[in-house]
Amino acid sequence: MNNKPSLWKQTMNKVRTWARMNSIGAIHFNSGSCNGCDIEILATLTPRYDVERFGIKLHGSPRHADVLLVTGPVTRQARERLIRTYEQMPEPKFVISVGACSISGGVFDGCYNVGGSVDEVIPVDVFVPGCPPRPEAIIDGIIQLLGELQGGVPRPVAKPKIVEEVSS
């Protein structure tokens, strides 16, 4: 028996990858940031940086999004909402962690209401460092994600890790 995928499956995978690369829906989630990263994400959507040239549009519902842009450290209040938003997204789904606070907790690390970084709660595909990261850095992170998509090797589906409850 031949283990190679059929020509039909190969063609469908190429079409699926092409469509995914040219029409990415993104949703933004603020998990407790100071809004510096949020302002920079909005700047990437302006005509000056024009992230829509890569086929990326911001959506209001996680059910229509492929990419979750997360800013800020994960606060106790936002943790469950972040997990719920992530779970509502259809497969395959991708996460871009934007800013130093979402990567390591930043200046909020150790605060009584901060549960940690984004990758401690949900799997992250691309990290964009900076405080706040410039729009060029955010676009570079998006390009990294598109490169991963073009490779055709999606990240295996992982169940989100639950961070231990922070004592009050």
Side-chain angles (χ1 to χ4, degrees), residues 37 98-101 103 128-134:
C37 298
V98 179
C101 297
I103 294 172
V128 179
C131 184
R134 300 269 316 148

Side-chain angles (χ1 to χ4, degrees), residues 40-70:
E40 297 300 328
I41 286 175
L42 289 178
T44 58
L45 298 169
T46 60
R48 179 172 181 161
Y49 297 101
D50 192 22
V51 78
E52 286 189 17
R53 65 188 150 153
F54 300 113
I56 299 170
K57 292 189 77 174
L58 205 59
H59 291 282
S61 171
R63 291 186 174 94
H64 301 153
D66 306 307
V67 176
L68 178 62
L69 297 168
V70 184

Side-chain angles (χ1 to χ4, degrees), residues 1-12:
M1 176 138 186
N2 190 0
N3 289 335
K4 293 177 89 176
S6 68
L7 180 62
W8 174 252
K9 279 189 173 184
Q10 289 177 351
T11 305
M12 288 305 294

